[in-house]
């Protein structure tokens, strides 16, 4: 299912070239990641391109993730030398903290250089992690196009924030090949890969398997299940029965069940879930 997807369309190649061409012009890189998948949503190509440039990691969608894991990942990324701001770009929670951090960084840099210059930044991340929502919050108005579908942002956009700082927006970029198939699955679970390219029934079955192992109580509570099935397929069919997703001839409506489970996971209705736990030292 996952390995057959074309991960590297032409516009993503152009994004890589855009980052390379403009990196010297910026003082700081803002990397937006999904708090539910802090490893899978960090593109290793971006890591290679940005190199030693100072990074601000936005742990976005923190409201959808396990709060304990948010704390652990924040600590981990700070220990790696990055600035970290947990955030919910949809409601603006965390934006004031980011603006304060950027102002302090700009003042410290100007003092070090003994001259006054406006901070220039680049924002990067994989599709559908919330870059456009963050930009709109920073601007205080609708500017960047947003949507719940990956790949909405296209082209090169220099934007001026209300405090005078400049921000270069870049389209979401995936990478040519996932060495670990779980990375592809995690991105698909969270909507960073177009659903149209997936077999949603198979994808939802994989997700149910992950939730059944790591968040069984949330799964049982949401779908009013007395117990989980021996296999993910058994659980999926139990969910369908509870919801009445039955076709003529008493056949299970797997597609409707799949869409429901995926939508309710992505919107946080099943619970606050982090698919990648932080292994603290």
């Amino acid at each position: 299912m996952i390995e057959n997807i074309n991960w590297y369309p032409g516009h993503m190649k152009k994004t890589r070239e855009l980052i390379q061409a403009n990196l010297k012009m910026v003082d700081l890189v803002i990397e937006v990641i999904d708090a539910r998948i802090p490893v899978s949503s960090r593109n290793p190509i971006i890591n290679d391109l940005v190199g030693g440039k100072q990074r601000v990691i936005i742990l976005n969608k923190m409201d959808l993730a396990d709060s304990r894991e948010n704390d652990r990942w924040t600590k981990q990324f700070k220990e790696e030398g990055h600035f970290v701001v947990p955030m919910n770009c949809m409601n603006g929670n965390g934006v004031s903290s980011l603006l304060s951090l950027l102002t302090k960084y700009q003042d410290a840099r100007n003092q070090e250089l003994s001259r006054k210059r406006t901070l220039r930044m680049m924002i990067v991340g994989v599709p559908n992690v919330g870059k456009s929502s963050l930009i709109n919050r920073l601007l205080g108005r609708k500017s960047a196009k947003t949507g719940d579908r990956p790949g909405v942002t296209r082209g090169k956009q220099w934007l001026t924030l209300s405090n005078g700082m400049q921000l270069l927006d870049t389209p979401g970029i995936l990478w040519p090949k996932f060495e670990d198939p779980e990375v592809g699955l995690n991105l698909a679970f969270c909507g960073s890969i177009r659903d149209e390219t997936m077999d949603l029934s198979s994808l939802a079955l994989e997700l149910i398997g992950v939730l059944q192992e790591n968040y069984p109580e949330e799964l049982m509570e949401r779908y009013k299940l007395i117990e989980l099935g021996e296999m993910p397929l058994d659980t999926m069919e139990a969910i369908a029965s509870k919801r009445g997703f039955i076709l003529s001839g008493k056949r299970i409506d797997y597609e409707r069940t799949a869409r429901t489970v995926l939508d309710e996971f992505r919107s946080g209705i099943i619970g606050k879930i982090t698919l990648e736990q932080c292994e603290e030292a």
Side-chain angles (χ1 to χ4, degrees):
M1 176 182 66
I2 294 295
E3 60 271 14
N4 295 328
I5 296 172
N6 175 16
W7 296 116
Y8 210 41
H11 79 270
M12 292 185 182
K13 179 177 181 293
K14 291 178 181 177
T15 300
R16 176 174 181 151
E17 294 169 351
L18 175 67
I19 293 172
Q20 288 175 317
N22 291 278
L23 191 61
K24 290 182 180 179
M25 300 173 62
V26 302
D27 308 297
L28 195 68
V29 173
I30 298 176
E31 181 183 6
V32 185
I33 66 175
D34 189 322
R36 297 167 296 180
I37 49 171
V39 176
S40 295
S41 60
R42 294 194 73 196
N43 188 337
I45 288 178
I46 289 175
N47 234 11
D48 294 339
L49 290 175
V50 171
K53 186 78 70 172
Q54 182 63 58
R55 201 102 48 101
V56 179
I57 293 180
I58 304 299
L59 201 62
N60 192 31
K61 307 189 182 184
M62 67 174 188
D63 56 307
L64 302 178
D66 188 325
S67 59
R68 295 164 300 180
E69 291 299 326
N70 287 343
D71 292 340
R72 293 183 183 123
W73 281 111
T74 297
K75 179 182 176 183
Q76 174 71 27
F77 290 136
K78 283 183 178 178
E79 288 176 353
E80 293 175 3
H82 306 302
F83 296 122
V84 187
V85 182
M87 189 174 290
N88 175 355
C89 293
M90 293 303 292
N91 68 9
N93 189 356
V95 172
S96 60
S97 297
L98 174 61
L99 288 171
S100 176
L101 186 156
L102 294 176
T103 298
K104 289 177 181 177
Y105 185 82
Q106 176 179 260
D107 292 345
R109 183 184 57 81
N110 286 344
Q111 185 173 3
E112 182 181 343
L113 296 173
S114 299
R115 60 191 176 95
K116 190 173 182 179
R117 190 165 71 86
T118 300
L119 193 68
R120 303 190 86 190
M121 303 163 288
M122 175 187 292
I123 187 166
V124 298
V126 303
N128 207 33
V129 288
K131 295 192 307 299
S132 296
S133 295
L134 173 57
I135 290 169
N136 289 339
R137 286 287 173 181
L138 291 174
L139 293 171
R141 57 183 171 82
K142 277 280 186 179
S143 173
K145 187 177 179 183
T146 61
D148 59 0
R149 293 162 55 87
V152 169
T153 307
R154 300 290 175 92
K156 176 179 177 179
Q157 299 183 68
W158 275 104
L159 304 164
T160 301
L161 308 188
S162 57
N163 59 11
M165 295 179 184
Q166 291 190 305
L167 180 68
L168 174 63
D169 186 17
T170 62
I173 178 173
L174 289 170
W175 47 108
K177 181 182 178 182
F178 298 129
E179 299 299 330
D180 184 350
E182 285 190 16
V183 170
L185 281 171
N186 285 336
L187 288 165
F189 293 153
C190 294
S192 287
I193 298 162
R194 291 183 183 277
D195 283 344
E196 293 86 345
T197 66
M198 316 292 295
D199 177 347
L200 291 190
S201 295
S202 297
L203 183 64
L205 191 61
E206 294 276 4
L207 176 59
I208 289 170
V210 172
L211 298 179
Q212 189 161 313
E213 181 177 351
N214 298 296
Y215 289 90
E217 293 179 4
E218 286 81 355
L219 196 60
M220 292 172 64
E221 172 65 24
R222 175 57 192 164
Y223 298 108
K224 310 303 179 188
L225 303 176
I226 298 175
E227 60 181 3
L228 297 174
E230 186 173 336
M231 302 294 290
L233 181 59
D234 300 324
T235 301
M236 188 176 192
E237 291 177 346
I239 291 171
S241 295
K242 278 288 186 180
R243 287 296 179 89
F245 297 159
I246 308 297
L247 301 169
S248 60
K250 297 183 179 180
R251 293 176 295 119
I252 298 290
D253 190 338
Y254 291 103
E255 183 177 351
R256 188 177 178 189
T257 306
R259 290 191 178 279
T260 296
V261 172
L262 288 168
D263 288 347
E264 294 189 348
F265 163 72
R266 291 170 181 172
S267 61
I269 294 175
I270 294 176
K272 295 182 182 298
I273 293 168
T274 299
L275 298 178
E276 294 175 322
Q277 279 71 43
C278 181
E279 297 180 5
E280 292 181 300

